[in-house]
Amino acid sequence: YIELLGVGLMGSVNYEKLLLSDKIFARVSLGYFDFVEKDTSDLYGIDNYITEDRLRIIPICLGANYMVGNKWRLELGGGLTYWIISYEGESELTGIGGLTDVSEGGNYLNLYSTLGLRYQKPGGGISFKIGLTPSYAKVEGKKMTFNFPHLSIGYAWK
């Protein structure tokens, strides 16, 4: 399934595999986040100096979901995200909450949880999900929490 926002930050492509009695699923996903901020300096009434800062995060996620229900299911889950971060720029970013303090690239292991509602027929077919996915990150020594909603659509088969 594809997911907007959520554990993949901007979006992700996900695969789930049934582990136990139509209740517990393993999840793997690959997400993407790209933020560019441009700043101009006004010198003598002319915008002539432009700086560009870019933050790119590729989250790779492994987790598990537990579901309760038949067609309409309550979904609880969590897991690990491995963030591959690249940063290009000279100044501080101002538009993305706690990530404004990121000043260099690196790789970081973080946690996430998920709470949501899923529509999925037991025999397979189109599935829809909506919910909240808090991510608990520690980047460059600073702890951050991002409470992203998620919306997804996918296909399930048996």
Side-chain angles (χ1 to χ4, degrees):
Y1 59 92
I2 58 172
E3 185 170 78
L4 179 63
L5 298 173
V7 71
L9 303 177
M10 284 180 102
S12 61
V13 176
N14 303 268
Y15 176 77
E16 287 182 340
K17 177 72 175 161
L18 175 65
L19 294 180
L20 187 63
S21 71
D22 208 27
K23 300 269 187 219
I24 299 177
F25 292 80
R27 171 185 181 170
V28 62
S29 68
L30 177 64
Y32 187 72
F33 179 86
D34 191 16
F35 182 78
V36 177
E37 186 173 82
K38 294 184 179 183
D39 189 23
T40 61
S41 295
D42 187 13
L43 184 62
Y44 308 115
I46 302 171
D47 290 337
N48 58 0
Y49 181 71
I50 298 175
T51 62
E52 181 175 293
D53 300 304
R54 168 172 263 161
L55 176 65
R56 185 174 293 137
I57 304 174
I58 298 175
I60 302 169
C61 311
L62 295 172
N65 294 332
Y66 177 76
M67 288 180 246
V68 178
N70 191 18
K71 283 185 185 179
W72 290 96
R73 300 174 177 201
L74 175 65
E75 179 180 55
L76 305 167
L80 298 171
T81 61
Y82 184 71
W83 287 6
I84 303 167
I85 298 178
S86 65
Y87 176 78
E88 301 166 6
E90 301 169 2
S91 59
E92 289 186 3
L93 297 167
T94 60
I96 50 174
L99 284 176
T100 58
D101 293 337
V102 173
S103 59
E104 60 187 46
N107 301 325
Y108 302 93
L109 189 61
N110 301 307
L111 300 172
Y112 79 93
S113 60
T114 187
L115 172 64
L117 184 64
R118 176 190 295 218
Y119 174 79
Q120 179 178 324
K121 292 181 182 178
I126 298 289
S127 66
F128 301 96
K129 292 174 32 169
I130 189 167
L132 183 65
T133 306
S135 292
Y136 314 100
K138 186 173 183 182
V139 177
E140 294 182 6
K142 182 180 178 189
K143 293 181 181 180
M144 298 172 263
T145 301
F146 302 97
N147 294 310
F148 284 139
H150 66 264
L151 178 64
S152 57
I153 185 170
Y155 189 83
W157 59 89
K158 287 201 170 201

